[in-house]
Structure formats: structure tokens, C-alpha cells
Amino acid sequence: MRIKSIPGTSIPIQRQKKRISIVMLCASILFGLYALSLIIPLVWGIMMSFQDKITYLTDKTSFPNPMKFYNYVQAFTELQAEGNDMFAMIFNSMWYSILSPVISVFTTLMASYVCAKYKFVLNKIVYWVAIITMMIPISGSLPASIRLSQALGVYDSPLTLVTAIGGLGSNFVIGFAFFKGVDWAYAESAFMDGASHVRVFFQIMLPQAISPIIALMLMGFISHWNDSTGPLIYLPSYPTLASGFYTYQIEAGRDLNYPVYFAGLFIASIPIIVLYISFQDTLMNLNMGGGLKG
């Protein structure tokens, strides 16, 4: 009986399949352990959010009995920062997490479209500046950034969102790659019908980028929703959920009501969980293809 082997080698196919199975088994075990390391703290935190404050201090592993659902109601009034309750922090998180990505993505796509589809003197220079700035560490720039916000009169004000206006960064690279793949025949046809450059961008090019736009908006929303440093530094009077919970934890100190705090954290994570479940395919698979195929 002749044993089949892989072409170009003397390794039997059966032995090769056995090796692959062992590798897959080891990888599955490692990823399973990693998943458990993430799931177990989450389950523990949710379980403790129904626990009594006194019981939590004495026993941090027992199942809550009875379960205190009132902790979730109490979270909306007890968790406060800078005189803002949880309702105000949710509102601040919404406008901060929605408007910042919208402004950033829109301005970046305009810059990436121009660099990808129009030839001018600084075309390649702008592209390489965008690439290089992604590699240069920005540590030490915080004092200058704060001084700039104060000079512009947007510090500790919703107007600080104007600092989200930009044209470089990772969004630029993604937008540049997308528009490079869009056939210019669309624009040429529109120009022949008398369309302006602005109209071509808004009515022809931008609608084709709807998939990466949604993905970039979602990633931007999640990033800003979880951002505690930005609001803490530039919007001290407008605490979001992320920065407000941090401030509350520091101010409460040893008097921190952990079950209520855990309840607030779980409430704050609900929008992110819902978004990821609803748009996981969009987040994981950025459609960077153009409109013309073949």
C-alpha cells in the first residue's frame, strides 16, 4: 500500500494533518484561556453590581442573595462628578462621542480624496507627512495642546470639538486607499454632464465610501465613548461617563459604593456592546473595494 505524501516533500499527508490538528488544538486552548480571562472579570463585575454594599466588603465572591436591582436605579443619582449626575454624563458622552468622529472623519475624507484623485505639487509630500506623523511619538505635546486650546478660547467648552478638524492620521490612510481604488470614470462622466468638483465628491464619491465611513464612525464612537483622558483634561466641567466615573472614584475614596459603581459601569458599557453586536461584520470587514469590478 502506497502512502501519499505532500507534493515536493516526503511528509505523509496523514502525519501533516495530525500536526495541523495538534497546532489547532493548542491554539484553541490558548484562545479559550484568553477568552476566559476576559469573560470571568466581566461576569464577576455584573454579579457584584447586584450585591449589597456591606456584604461586598466582607465577601467578594458570594452570589448576591437577595439581588439588589435598586443599585441600577441608585447609580443614576449617586454617581456624580462636578455636580453632574449620570443623566448629564450620558448626555455629555453622546455629543462628545458622536460629533468628534463626524467632524474628524468628514474632514479627513476630504483631504484623502484630494490627495488620491488630484495631482498637485504637494501631493506626495502630504501623503508622506501623514504616514510619518503616525510613527512620531506625541509624548510631551500635552502642555502645548492645552495652551493652544486656551488661546483659541475653546478650552473647557463644547467648542473644543473644532480641534477634531484634521486631515491626517490613520483615517487619512484608509480614505486614501479607498479613493485610490475608485475608478475616475465616475467623475469624468459627471464632469461631462456639467457637475462641479464639489458635487462629484458629495454625490458620487462620498456615497461609494459609505462602508468605510460607517466603520470609521463606529470605531471613532467607541474610542471617544471610552476616552477618559480627553474630557478630563479639555472638558473638566463637562464630565462624560468615562471621565466622570474616574472622578467619582477618586473623590469617593474609601466610601466608594462598589456595587453601585459596578452597576454604573455596566450601564455605560451597554451602548458599546449593542453597537459591536449589531455592526461586528462592518467593523471586522472594511469594504475597501471600488464601484467598478472586472
Side-chain angles (χ1 to χ4, degrees), residues 33-254:
L33 292 174
Y34 176 70
L36 285 176
S37 69
L38 300 177
I39 294 173
I40 291 176
L42 177 63
V43 173
W44 177 83
I46 296 174
M47 185 175 69
M48 290 299 102
S49 68
F50 294 99
Q51 186 65 276
D52 180 77
K53 179 181 179 180
I54 304 300
T55 307
Y56 173 83
L57 294 175
T58 57
D59 187 0
K60 296 180 175 60
T61 58
S62 63
F63 188 83
N65 186 25
M67 299 180 69
K68 292 196 63 176
F69 292 93
Y70 184 71
N71 288 342
Y72 284 82
V73 179
Q74 192 176 354
F76 283 93
T77 57
E78 184 172 330
L79 301 181
Q80 296 188 8
E82 301 295 333
N84 295 267
D85 58 15
M86 195 166 172
F87 288 105
M89 289 189 284
I90 291 175
F91 177 73
N92 292 334
S93 293
M94 290 300 295
W95 64 258
Y96 177 73
S97 302
I98 293 176
L99 294 180
S100 291
V102 168
I103 295 172
S104 176
V105 171
F106 179 71
T107 55
T108 303
L109 285 180
M110 286 194 295
S112 61
Y113 168 73
V114 172
C115 286
K117 290 302 183 183
Y118 293 90
K119 294 183 178 180
F120 54 96
V121 179
L122 301 177
N123 186 293
K124 292 184 178 180
I125 296 178
V126 172
Y127 175 78
W128 283 108
V129 167
I131 299 296
I132 294 173
T133 52
M134 292 175 61
M135 299 183 291
I136 299 177
I138 59 174
S139 57
S141 63
L142 180 59
S145 179
I146 295 176
R147 290 289 299 273
L148 177 61
S149 296
Q150 293 173 340
L152 293 174
V154 299
Y155 181 77
D156 198 17
S157 167
L159 292 177
T160 193
L161 293 178
V162 299
T163 58
I165 297 175
L168 305 179
S170 58
N171 290 353
F172 175 89
V173 176
I174 294 175
F176 185 88
F178 174 82
F179 288 121
K180 268 292 186 181
V182 177
D183 198 290
W184 191 240
Y186 290 113
E188 292 177 343
S189 299
F191 290 144
M192 292 178 62
D193 292 334
S196 63
H197 292 278
V198 176
R199 187 175 180 182
V200 168
F201 174 71
F202 282 100
Q203 295 187 357
I204 297 177
M205 294 298 179
L206 206 58
Q208 295 188 69
I210 190 65
S211 179
I213 287 175
I214 292 175
L216 292 175
M217 292 289 189
L218 289 172
M219 289 188 291
F221 179 89
I222 293 173
S223 175
H224 284 81
W225 186 271
N226 295 327
D227 179 26
S228 60
T229 305
L232 197 64
I233 296 175
Y234 298 100
L235 294 168
S237 300
Y238 299 87
T240 61
L241 288 172
S243 63
F245 284 176
Y246 174 79
T247 303
Y248 169 80
Q249 183 182 10
I250 298 299
E251 293 178 349
R254 294 185 177 182

Side-chain angles (χ1 to χ4, degrees), residues 271-289:
I272 302 302
I273 295 174
V274 172
L275 279 177
Y276 183 78
I277 293 175
S278 302
F279 298 98
Q280 56 181 322
D281 292 336
T282 304
L283 289 171
M284 301 303 293
N285 299 308
L286 265 173
N287 181 14
M288 303 303 295

